[in-house]
Amino acid sequence: MSIGFNYAALSDIGKIRQSNQDSGYAGPNLLVLADGMGGPAGGDIASSIAIDHLRSLDTEADTPEEALESLREAIAQAHQELCERSTQDPALAGLGTTCIAIRRSQNAITMTHIGDSRAYRLRGGELRQMTNDHSFVQYLVDTGQLTPEQAENHPQRSVLLRVLGDSQEDVNLDESQPDFTIGDRWLLCSDGLCGFVSGPTIGKILYRSKTPQQACETLVELALKAGGPDNITCVVADIVEDPQDKEPQIVGAAATDRLAELRSQQTENPGDEAVRDDQDASDPAIQDQTDNEDEDEDDSFSQARAAIPTESLTEEDSAPKYRWGRIIGVIVGLIVLLALFATAVWYGMSERPNPTPPPTSTSISETKSPATTAEETTQESEASSSAEPSSSSSASNS
């Protein structure tokens, strides 16, 4: 008799988030869920790294001990890569992720867990939470400082005490080998589901859904109806005899190629590329081949050019135009200033008043009466004739 998982996985970005930072994996012998953190710059990278290190374990382990050891090693490697990336790239500071992984061996299942993503088991109509949140609020509940009801709406319920990638210290995992039986239904989910859909409602959906796929779809739909403020990811698996033979499912951030692109960018060596270019330039055969390729351009060049973001091409083309435009603008500005200056000078000259002749040196201080006698007039005339030189001299001094 062969025992295995019938499985399904589904992830949704939610109604508020700009990117999906959850990742999920469901396969015949392995179930994984990771909820990344670190903002838009790195949360999706973090959860993808966890999936990437664990997905190779989707084979049946010989013993539970082997399954546990393999999970520990893969998670430790993921943790180490997260720490290295967070240290080397300031844009990825704060990189981290939760992680739940279940691997099947011949007669047991082994589970490791860190963070606040959850695992539930439905058996005979009874739902049981199989993980304990590694959060500050859960610590307050465990120590009796909060009730579970108070914890549901606590403002710090998203503060985590343990995740992958948060520090250089060794990973502190919760490890278990829960018992299983044929007919059990398992759910792994991010807090985008369990934080907004109650446990009893989750249990009802798991119990009523005929298939894992239907259960995933209904649970995601309910989380969206509750507002969908976070990414929502579900991995559902039934333990069955003679499981279906189908391909593993990868959902969320791990289903994209961003992790592969990041790794390829960081592994490129500009020095080696420069040396390779020099060698190509010095090889006549390679040079001839390059010339022929330039003359005979094929569709591959067009495809490669189409893969380049439009924004980068626009910036490169517009930079020279912007510099010439700035130079022309400066020249036009100088011409305008000179024209204004010339206009002001011309206006000042045209409005300048004409110089008036200096006032005459002779002033009449007193008006003679018409009754002046002829004798006095004659005397004055004679006197003025004799005094004319001295009067002219006095006026010029004044």
Side-chain angles (χ1 to χ4, degrees):
M1 181 179 63
S2 175
I3 297 176
F5 295 140
N6 273 349
Y7 50 83
L10 186 62
S11 185
D12 193 284
I13 192 174
K15 295 185 176 180
I16 296 179
R17 302 287 187 179
Q18 299 300 315
S19 63
N20 195 343
Q21 301 181 24
D22 290 357
S23 292
Y25 180 95
N29 302 284
L30 180 71
L31 309 174
V32 185
L33 187 135
D35 181 355
M37 62 200 68
D44 57 339
I45 294 294
S47 64
S48 298
I49 287 174
I51 298 295
D52 192 61
H53 281 275
L54 285 162
R55 59 190 296 182
S56 61
L57 302 181
D58 193 7
T59 58
E60 183 180 349
D62 293 334
T63 63
E65 291 75 21
E66 178 190 345
L68 179 58
E69 186 60 32
S70 64
L71 290 173
R72 286 175 180 168
E73 182 178 353
I75 291 175
Q77 292 173 355
H79 174 71
Q80 184 63 31
E81 182 176 348
L82 289 170
C83 292
E84 290 175 356
R85 291 187 181 280
S86 180
T87 302
Q88 295 171 1
D89 188 351
L92 299 179
L95 201 65
T97 184
T98 69
C99 186
I100 300 177
I102 297 177
R103 188 182 183 191
R104 190 181 69 85
S105 56
Q106 187 174 5
N107 57 355
I109 58 174
T110 302
M111 181 171 65
T112 58
H113 163 62
I114 188 169
D116 65 344
S117 298
R118 292 182 180 178
Y120 293 92
R121 185 189 67 190
L122 179 70
R123 175 181 291 177
E126 179 184 354
L127 184 71
R128 179 181 176 186
Q129 182 177 332
M130 305 299 291
T131 56
N132 193 48
D133 295 347
H134 299 150
S135 64
F136 175 67
V137 168
Q138 185 61 47
Y139 167 78
L140 296 179
V141 173
D142 294 341
T143 56
Q145 302 179 55
L146 284 178
T147 65
E149 292 73 22
Q150 292 172 329
E152 290 180 359
N153 298 314
H154 197 279
Q156 294 180 321
R157 62 184 180 276
S158 60
V159 177
L160 302 183
L161 302 180
R162 280 192 273 166
V163 293
L164 296 182
D166 63 331
S167 70
Q168 295 289 345
E169 299 179 358
D170 293 338
V171 181
N172 185 10
L173 297 172
D174 283 356
E175 301 169 346
S176 62
Q177 293 179 3
D179 64 305
F180 75 97
T181 184
I182 295 174
D184 288 348
R185 173 168 284 180
W186 283 78
L187 166 68
L188 310 185
C189 66
S190 62
D191 62 343
L193 173 66
C194 58
F196 302 95
V197 180
S198 67
T201 301
I202 291 175
K204 291 179 182 178
I205 299 303
L206 291 175
Y207 182 77
R208 294 173 181 174
S209 299
K210 295 182 179 180
T211 64
Q213 183 65 36
Q214 183 182 0
C216 287
E217 293 173 356
T218 306
L219 290 171
V220 169
E221 183 181 357
L222 283 178
L224 291 173
K225 287 182 178 180
D230 201 353
N231 306 144
I232 310 157
T233 304
C234 304
V235 175
V236 177
D238 294 341
I239 299 179
V240 297
E241 297 180 358
D242 301 324
Q244 300 174 2
D245 186 13
K246 63 179 183 177
E247 293 294 323
Q249 295 183 15
I250 303 176
V251 297
T256 68
D257 294 331
R258 188 175 178 212
L259 177 59
E261 293 173 1
L262 179 65
R263 284 175 171 168
S264 64
Q265 291 172 2
Q266 292 186 346
T267 54
E268 287 179 356
N269 190 332
D272 293 344
E273 185 176 353
V275 172
R276 186 166 55 254
D277 291 342
D278 293 340
Q279 292 175 350
D280 293 347
S282 62
D283 192 335
I286 295 177
Q287 185 65 33
D288 292 342
Q289 181 181 358
T290 303
D291 294 339
N292 293 334
E293 290 175 353
D294 292 339
E295 295 173 359
D296 250 344
E297 182 181 9
D298 56 14
D299 292 340
S300 61
F301 177 80
S302 300
Q303 294 173 359
R305 186 175 180 85
I308 301 175
T310 305
E311 292 77 8
S312 62
L313 292 176
T314 304
E315 292 173 0
E316 291 175 2
D317 294 340
S318 62
K321 296 179 182 179
Y322 174 76
R323 288 195 295 269
W324 278 111
R326 184 169 55 184
I327 293 172
I328 294 173
V330 172
I331 294 173
V332 172
L334 290 174
I335 293 173
V336 171
L337 288 175
L338 290 174
L340 291 174
F341 178 75
T343 302
V345 171
W346 175 83
Y347 181 79
M349 294 296 294
S350 63
E351 293 297 323
R352 184 177 179 180
N354 293 327
T356 58
T360 178
S361 58
T362 304
S363 60
I364 300 176
S365 59
E366 205 173 334
T367 304
K368 293 296 181 178
S369 170
T372 305
T373 63
E375 183 179 353
E376 289 176 344
T377 303
T378 304
Q379 292 177 356
E380 284 183 4
S381 300
E382 293 176 352
S384 62
S385 298
S386 63
E388 184 176 358
S390 61
S391 297
S392 301
S393 174
S394 176
S396 63
N397 288 337
S398 64

